[in-house]
Amino acid sequence: GGKVAFNLSHSGDWAMLAVARRGPLGVDIERSREMNDAAGLARRYFSAAEVAVWESLAPAEQTAAFFRCWTRKEAYLKALGDGLRAPLDQFIVTFAPGEAPRLIQASPHDTLAAWPIKDLPFDEGYTAAVVIPAGCRVVRLFAVN
């Protein structure tokens, strides 16, 4: 009976579409790749607490952790409706290896502050996350390449 919400993301050969009977929601997918300036990007876009976690990781873990953080942050901003206009360093998500996806500190633009974050299983080499309203659940995942 409520409004239908949707969100779209694409990267590499994949596109994702998330649909919910009540929204809003956000989704992001990124093709993992080595980056020349991952440290600079982390310092520019991650919160100080996230940078500290990222820098504490072994170099072999940093690329995957970077993309876990990035996809969770972008999906959250898309759920808020801010896109990448809102500062990414103004809120904190979990992303360390083995750590459950979670919003630790909400964005100052967030009036709800109760957004479950879920990682989505995907092909190796891709990282994906969805942020949905509290009480919603992921029922099915469809992906097309």
Side-chain angles (χ1 to χ4, degrees):
K3 289 183 177 180
V4 173
F6 72 93
N7 198 252
L8 176 67
S9 182
H10 64 88
S11 183
D13 294 330
W14 287 96
M16 293 180 60
L17 173 66
V19 180
R21 285 189 206 163
R22 63 174 191 226
L25 71 159
V27 66
D28 188 46
I29 181 170
E30 298 290 337
R31 182 178 56 83
S32 299
R33 59 205 175 278
E34 292 297 324
M35 297 177 299
N36 294 335
D37 194 23
L41 291 170
R43 287 185 199 107
R44 180 174 178 190
Y45 293 110
F46 294 178
S47 71
E50 290 166 334
V51 171
V53 169
W54 187 81
E55 288 178 340
S56 74
L57 299 175
E61 297 175 323
Q62 286 181 333
T63 298
F66 178 93
F67 284 104
R68 276 192 303 274
C69 187
W70 187 269
T71 56
R72 292 172 187 177
K73 288 173 98 56
E74 188 168 334
Y76 172 66
L77 286 179
K78 289 169 79 175
L80 290 181
D82 287 340
L84 291 178
R85 293 182 316 232
L88 277 81
D89 63 351
Q90 298 296 303
F91 61 94
I92 302 170
V93 298
T94 59
F95 63 93
E99 194 172 23
R102 184 169 62 89
L103 178 64
I104 296 173
Q105 178 181 315
S107 166
H109 303 237
D110 187 352
T111 58
L112 187 59
W115 297 91
I117 300 174
K118 300 191 182 301
D119 289 336
L120 300 174
F122 227 84
D123 278 0
E124 187 168 331
Y126 286 84
T127 304
V130 63
V131 174
I132 56 179
C136 243
R137 62 188 172 95
V138 176
V139 178
R140 289 190 184 114
L141 170 65
F142 298 98
V144 179
N145 82 346

